[in-house]
Amino acid sequence: MEDRERFTLLRITGKYGGSVAIELDESGVSGVPDTSGELMVHNDFVAGLTHTYVEPYDLAPWEHVLDEVEAGRDAVWREHARVAAIGIQLVDREDDQDHITVTVADQQATRVAISLEVNRGWIEEQRQLLHGIRETWKHVHPTVLR
């Protein structure tokens, strides 16, 4: 069985360990991500993986979460969806780094909160990943441009 290419929608990695990521599988069209993939959470205490999906209409709300956190406000992505919600709380902002708490909560009352110290450019990194998914989907899913 051949491994399929993975497309990263989000990857928040702490300076001292820990990460939260969503990677989408390759679809039946080479070079185009599928809407299904995996949500991965890892730190020194817990490592978890769950199957998830991301629809084209999920991209604008993810961008809104990034806008909110960049402005210093807490935000939650896909809070009322049938998949795990991802919340980001900006705990502290210093000159070159942010201290954030990323919370992942699914519909079965499982909730994990990971505290991460991240380099200040982490939001721009997430925007670049989002842009990459939008670019590869724009021919297949025209709604991603909204």
Side-chain angles (χ1 to χ4, degrees), residues 15-34:
K15 288 171 64 172
Y16 306 108
S19 65
V20 177
I22 291 181
E23 292 183 355
L24 301 174
D25 296 320
E26 184 177 61
S27 69
V29 179
S30 181
V32 176
D34 197 355

Side-chain angles (χ1 to χ4, degrees), residues 2-19:
E2 146 185 349
D3 285 339
R4 295 170 60 147
E5 183 177 350
R6 305 294 296 229
F7 297 86
T8 303
L9 172 62
L10 80 97
R11 179 174 309 283
I12 303 171
T13 303
K15 288 171 64 172
Y16 306 108
S19 65

Side-chain angles (χ1 to χ4, degrees), residues 49-92:
L49 174 117
T50 187
H51 295 286
T52 192
Y53 64 87
V54 176
E55 297 291 342
Y57 57 78
D58 290 324
L59 300 182
W62 174 235
E63 184 173 35
H64 178 72
V65 166
L66 297 173
D67 293 342
E68 289 295 297
V69 175
E70 188 170 45
R73 295 182 289 272
D74 301 346
V76 179
W77 183 49
R78 305 190 309 175
E79 186 170 22
H80 301 291
R82 293 185 357 213
V83 295
I86 298 175
I88 302 175
Q89 176 187 17
L90 179 62
V91 177
D92 187 31

Side-chain angles (χ1 to χ4, degrees), residues 92-109:
D92 187 31
R93 180 166 273 167
E94 295 179 15
D95 292 334
D96 62 343
Q97 68 184 21
D98 290 344
H99 179 193
I100 62 172
T101 299
V102 180
T103 304
V104 178
D106 71 7
Q107 297 300 316
Q108 277 86 45

